[in-house]
Amino acid sequence: MTEVPRFWREIPQRYNLIGNKCRKCDWINFPPRSICKKCNDHDFERFDLKGEGKIITYTIIRAAPLGFEDLVPYAIAIIRLDDGPRITAQIVDCDSSEVDIGKRVKVCFRKIAEDGKAGAISYGYKFKLV
Amino acid sequence: MDVGIVGYGSYIPVYRIKVEAIAKVWGQDAETMRKGLKVDEKSVPAPDEDTATIAVEASRNAMLRARINPKRIGAVYVGSESHPYAVKPTATILAEALEATPNLTAADFEFACKAGTASMQAIFGLVKAEMIEYGVAVGSDTSQGAPGGALEYTAAAGGASFIIGKANLIAKLNGTRSFTTDTPDFWRRERQAYPRHGGRFTGEPAYFKHILTASKNMMNGLGLEPKDINYFVPHQPNGKFPRQAAKKLGFTEDQLLQGLLSPQIGNTYSGASPLGLTAVLDIAKPDEKILLTSYGSGAGSDSFVFTVTDKILEVQGLAPKTSDYINKKKYVDYGTYAKYRGKINLADE
Ligand SMILES: [Zn+2]
């Protein structure tokens, strides 16, 4: 079940990978935070992540949660973005056997979840191999 | 004041299904279907792709070429016959993804396969009237044909996006003309999964009459003949109709083939002739002329003539080319295709 209001508030980060950068220590937070993860300061500027990076680790999902059954088997990876932050996302447009640690990936715009046939559709980032 | 295209972009899903794979399931002869339609394979969207995601990918490519601040976009129009929601616009999703919100107008267009060019025409008008500085016009579809029906061999997915403005044009609009009648050649009623067509209506009185008349009126209006045009890009429901239309108008295969994508990707509906235009812009040279004529069942054609400017050479390499998307492909079998396209009824539905 998608929480529509929460998803709506997160549109900038989900659609465009917009994080924030701590003005004191330069740490880039994604998702954006109100208190810096590194130094606890709260003076930030907007930071647009470029959406490219490489796979640090991954897992293949074969028994999917409700709403994701059509996608199995699929890979969920932890990605180290070139800009610094780590991000967890699905790797699309490939066989799960092609996914591997160290491979380069690039962001794409996809359906993230669908609340059944009558509910809201949520969109956001996934990644594909480059 | 000149108006025209400032940036263009395309997107085609990576998955393909061959005509053979479809014919095998329904006991039809693949060779007959392939020769009859002049289509070898068609694109298939992934289960997490739809008209909105395709519109976003194509428009991000268009923005890479336009190199403008998204806040200067005054209108976003998306043409499709497969908008994800019956009520809730695709255009707002796209506007947000481009960060063009909130000071702009947005709307969805529908007119079978010509919804994309209808949105282009409206944006050209708004720019020409100086009501907006830049506008985004998109044709995007993930179309469905009933299992076992003729349309299943061609109904495909893809989209193209155009950033339209009046400065730094890569292709100047010389003119646009439309031809529209009430013709019941093809339709889909509310809440129906698949469209129907009016049998013998689909060829002569529908596609050909509208494409040929709009194209002729457009050329006559500008005093142009086929020899003055470098590329003719008609709507492409299959690989056969565009060839016949080109021949009837007096165009050679050379003028047609660069923008004829349906043999490799099928009919991308609202994306079809706009995608053909992107494939032409990918290789076009300054001063070349392009005739684009869409067709939408119901029925109507929008025709446009563009003259390519010398700025084209600066932008061609700034985003993936349409041929990159056509060449990057993964084949799926019919079972996978049926699952991806929601053609299998699951137990709880
Ligand atoms: Zn900090």
Side-chain angles (χ1 to χ4, degrees), chain A residues 22 25 36 39:
Chain A
C22 175
C25 77
C36 179
C39 75

Side-chain angles (χ1 to χ4, degrees), chain B residues 190-341:
Chain B
E190 192 80 59
R191 290 191 289 276
Q192 294 297 303
Y194 305 114
R196 293 205 190 170
H197 57 85
R200 299 179 65 180
F201 255 129
T202 51
E204 287 303 329
Y207 178 87
F208 290 105
K209 179 176 151 190
H210 293 79
I211 288 259
L212 299 181
T213 310
S215 301
K216 279 179 200 159
N217 289 351
M218 185 73 257
M219 286 190 285
N220 289 342
L222 294 172
L224 297 171
E225 290 176 42
K227 65 169 171 53
D228 304 317
I229 307 279
N230 299 83
Y231 307 96
F232 173 50
V233 184
H235 176 53
Q236 31 206 281
N238 49 49
K240 189 169 115 184
F241 282 13
R243 283 188 170 86
Q244 292 173 337
K247 202 173 170 188
K248 285 179 193 200
L249 285 166
F251 290 106
T252 62
E253 285 228 321
D254 282 349
Q255 287 165 297
L256 176 73
L257 290 182
Q258 180 61 31
L260 183 60
L261 313 179
S262 52
Q264 293 137 294
I265 60 169
N267 179 6
T268 54
Y269 283 58
S270 302
S273 55
L275 267 171
L277 176 59
T278 65
V280 165
L281 290 171
D282 276 341
I283 55 99
K285 293 186 276 295
D287 298 326
E288 288 188 324
K289 279 198 162 51
I290 304 162
L291 172 63
L292 167 73
T293 307
S294 64
Y295 173 71
S297 293
S301 282
D302 301 323
S303 200
F304 305 79
V305 171
F306 298 99
T307 302
V308 178
T309 77
D310 50 11
K311 290 229 162 36
I312 189 82
L313 303 172
E314 291 170 30
V315 308
Q316 283 166 331
L318 297 179
K321 294 192 169 179
T322 302
S323 59
D324 296 337
Y325 286 111
I326 292 173
N327 296 332
K328 189 166 192 266
K329 57 188 174 183
K330 281 180 172 296
Y331 289 106
V332 293
D333 57 21
Y334 192 90
T336 306
Y337 157 75
K339 186 177 84 167
Y340 280 6
R341 300 303 288 127

Side-chain angles (χ1 to χ4, degrees), chain A residues 11 15-16 18 46 70-72 90 92-95 98 108-111 117 119-121 123 126 128, chain B residues 11 14-15 46-50 52-53 56-57 60 84-85 93 96-97 99 328 330 339-340 346 349:
Chain A
I11 276 180
Y15 283 18
N16 286 306
I18 297 169
R46 170 181 160 146
D70 284 0
L71 302 172
V72 290
Q90 187 188 335
V92 298
D93 285 359
C94 62
D95 299 329
E98 295 172 70
C108 58
F109 188 84
R110 295 294 171 104
K111 273 197 283 192
K117 288 218 179 297
I121 308 168
Y123 296 91
K126 293 187 181 180
K128 54 185 172 187
Chain B
Y11 182 80
V14 75
Y15 296 105
D48 57 358
E49 290 186 295
D50 64 15
T53 66
V56 169
E57 294 283 353
R60 284 183 173 165
Y85 290 92
I93 300 166
E96 194 70 52
E99 292 193 77
K328 189 166 192 266
K330 281 180 172 296
K339 186 177 84 167
Y340 280 6
L346 300 175
E349 284 179 293

